[in-house]
Amino acid sequence: MRARRLVDLSAPLMALRLLAAEFGHLPTPTVEVSPIYPERLELTFHDDFAAFEAWREALNIAPESVVHRVQLGGQTNVLRVHATFAGAELQLTGFANVPALAPVLAGSGAVS
């Protein structure tokens, strides 16, 4: 396998340029482009499902396409969706803590 060159990342880099031009008003994601997946542009949102949803809606990605998982022993919610934008594979990922349950004191339930 030959070494990758920057030109091999042209699809996700062009998509990033177009996203910045068209959606520069949206919240800033963590951006990843990698020679391991040269066609993919990853946008990640930490502790902010609202930012994930703003991007999903702006890109007109159907909500039913989003996959929800829980990781880290039930501590972290993860939303992930894949789409195509400007010839690049686009992956949006959102992470947020699972809200802690409020403790219930013994005997504080309803009385019959």
Side-chain angles (χ1 to χ4, degrees), residues 38-109:
E39 298 299 317
R40 183 183 299 168
L41 172 61
E42 297 181 25
L43 305 180
T44 305
F45 306 89
H46 296 274
D47 298 321
D48 194 356
F49 280 166
F52 173 93
E53 281 298 307
W55 276 91
R56 185 197 57 74
E57 288 177 8
L59 293 166
N60 202 26
I61 300 171
E64 57 271 11
S65 300
V66 176
V67 174
H68 173 256
R69 296 205 189 326
V70 179
Q71 66 183 32
L72 291 174
Q75 296 179 33
T76 304
N77 282 309
V78 182
L79 298 179
R80 181 165 288 138
V81 68
H82 294 90
T84 302
F85 181 82
E89 298 169 12
L90 184 61
Q91 177 180 293
L92 301 180
T93 305
F95 297 98
N97 292 331
V98 172
L101 296 174
V104 177
L105 300 174
S108 63

Side-chain angles (χ1 to χ4, degrees), residues 2-16 32-40:
R2 71 174 176 81
R4 297 232 185 249
R5 298 171 299 153
L6 189 58
V7 70
D8 295 327
L9 303 176
S10 61
L13 292 174
M14 179 58 76
L16 180 59
E32 184 173 349
V33 175
S34 169
I36 297 169
Y37 301 104
E39 298 299 317
R40 183 183 299 168

